Amino acid sequence: MSVRAAALAPVLEAARAARANAYAPYSQYRVGAALLTRSGRIYAGANVENATYGATSCAERSAVAAMVAAGDRAPIACVVVTAGPKPGAPCGICRQVLAEFARDMRIMRIVMVAEDDRGRVIARKTARLATLLPQAFRLATQRR
């Protein structure tokens, strides 16, 4: 299932809204992410930092948690919004978590957007999840 650019506009808006609610008192690096699923639903998440750093939740994993909590399991696109000048890519753990649910990593699109202080897009990159995580870990017993 290919995702058209127009279908990503509401996903971008959801990621922006989530980013506005990010909790980043330590790094000041606010991130918002939103997933589009096969069902057409959108799930958003924001990064939530913690003083121990290790307990920090990334925006992408927060969006996956919202998706799972709602009973959905099939993301087809993820939009990640950060501050500029360059778009931020999902970390390795987030890539692996996305791979857990992506039925076809060659199709799942990751759109990374950097915005300026006024919320204008200043840079954008797109990649397939398979490109960002070419050797995802899979258990032999893992069902698809």
Side-chain angles (χ1 to χ4, degrees):
M1 172 180 229
S2 181
V3 180
R4 296 175 189 251
L8 292 176
V11 187
L12 173 59
E13 289 308 313
R16 281 180 170 146
R19 181 175 179 263
N21 293 321
Y23 179 73
Y26 307 106
S27 71
Q28 305 303 313
Y29 190 68
R30 296 176 301 117
V31 182
L35 298 171
L36 174 65
T37 63
R38 286 188 186 277
S39 68
R41 295 181 68 188
I42 297 169
Y43 302 95
N47 60 320
V48 180
E49 293 182 348
N50 185 277
T52 65
Y53 292 107
T56 293
S57 295
C58 296
E60 299 89 338
R61 284 184 284 148
S62 294
V64 168
M67 175 188 73
V68 170
D72 214 336
R73 299 280 192 280
I76 57 173
C78 179
V79 176
V80 180
V81 179
T82 61
K86 295 180 181 178
C91 74
I93 293 172
C94 288
R95 293 174 195 197
Q96 182 62 48
V97 169
L98 289 168
E100 179 79 13
F101 294 96
R103 290 186 182 156
D104 189 341
M105 291 179 31
R106 295 166 302 167
I107 293 174
M108 184 167 176
R109 181 189 284 185
I110 310 294
V111 179
M112 298 152 279
V113 175
E115 294 185 331
D116 66 13
D117 293 338
R118 295 182 183 167
R120 294 179 297 201
V121 174
I122 56 175
R124 178 187 304 243
K125 291 175 86 172
T126 300
R128 301 292 178 193
L129 183 56
T131 302
L132 295 178
L133 186 65
Q135 296 179 341
F137 178 80
R138 301 261 191 232
L139 290 175
T141 59
Q142 191 170 5
R143 294 182 188 182
R144 287 267 141 237

